[in-house]
Amino acid sequence: MGQLSAEGHEPSRTGSVLIVEDERRIARIIELELIHIGLQVAIATDGPAGLRRALDEDFDLIMLDWMLPGMSGLEVCRTVRQEKQTPIIILTARDTTADKVAGLDAGADDYITKPFETEELLARVRVALRRGQTRQELTLGDLRVYPDERRAIRAGRLLELTAREFDLLHILLKNADRVLSRELILNQVWGYDYDGETNVVDVYIRYLRLKVDEPFASPLIHTMRGVGYVLRKG
Ligand code: CA
């Protein structure tokens, strides 16, 4: 089992949380609440320090203030996301819809507006930790795909895929090293009742190659002439 908390008697949670918050009073309040439910807590008080710890260490959750000295929380979030899928909750006094969208676009999992109620904070922490534990990840070489979030990353870069392109990449990756026929791909991605152009698979493979392979040194999508396509290294 995991490690005990500072008090040594709280079995409800184990895990480690990085709090990146320049207001020490707020950081301290959150720290005490998290220690109380059995979590281990580290604190960074500016953007660059938070980013460094987030990348160098493996936390189960990062709680990230938006307005930070040195580098904004959004910037930290975006940079962490290029390398890691650690759950991130953004903390901020800003609460317009546009701000929330910006936070989620930067790759945050959730958003808490200051001032917050302790109960709400803890509920969101639990959800984020649970999500982190069950997060599905498929990898092939430097390609990583997170089906639940419909996010694909290659060599640390987020790939901007349409829904169809994502589905196509996902099915290829689930069957990595296995040659898939056009017909199988068509049925899986477009459905059995698809009755449009028959070369749609080839067209979308071309789109996918532009995004998944062309910007990178080694192609992953390979054509098996007369048979179909396969996703594999080299
Ligand atoms: Ca702040």
Side-chain angles (χ1 to χ4, degrees), residues 10 36 76 111 117 119 121 200 214:
E10 172 57 74
H36 187 69
V76 173
Y111 196 101
E117 298 289 334
E119 283 313 308
L121 178 92
V200 67
E214 289 218 345

Side-chain angles (χ1 to χ4, degrees), residues 20-23 26 45 65-69 91-92 114:
V20 189
E21 167 66 82
D22 57 315
E23 286 171 72
I26 293 177
T45 55
D65 183 30
W66 182 315
M67 306 292 273
L68 288 167
L91 294 165
T92 175
K114 294 190 259 187

Side-chain angles (χ1 to χ4, degrees), residues 82-147:
Q82 289 176 1
E83 307 236 337
K84 291 184 161 189
Q85 290 298 309
T86 313
I88 296 176
I89 297 177
I90 297 222
L91 294 165
T92 175
R94 312 169 66 146
D95 66 347
T96 69
T97 303
D99 289 336
K100 286 181 193 178
V101 169
L104 298 174
D105 275 353
D109 295 86
D110 202 356
Y111 196 101
I112 298 177
T113 308
K114 294 190 259 187
F116 47 79
E117 298 289 334
T118 300
E119 283 313 308
E120 185 195 358
L121 178 92
L122 294 179
R124 286 169 184 268
V125 164
R126 284 190 197 97
V127 168
L129 285 171
R130 220 163 26 231
R131 195 180 297 150
Q133 283 162 2
T134 59
R135 176 170 267 148
Q136 215 196 333
E137 182 186 57
L138 298 169
T139 62
L140 179 70
D142 58 1
L143 174 69
R144 281 175 292 150
V145 169
Y146 302 90

Side-chain angles (χ1 to χ4, degrees), residues 170-185:
H170 187 200
I171 187 104
L172 287 166
L173 183 52
K174 273 200 293 191
N175 295 282
D177 293 320
R178 200 180 134 204
V179 180
L180 302 182
S181 69
R182 285 177 181 76
E183 191 187 9
L184 189 144
I185 294 172

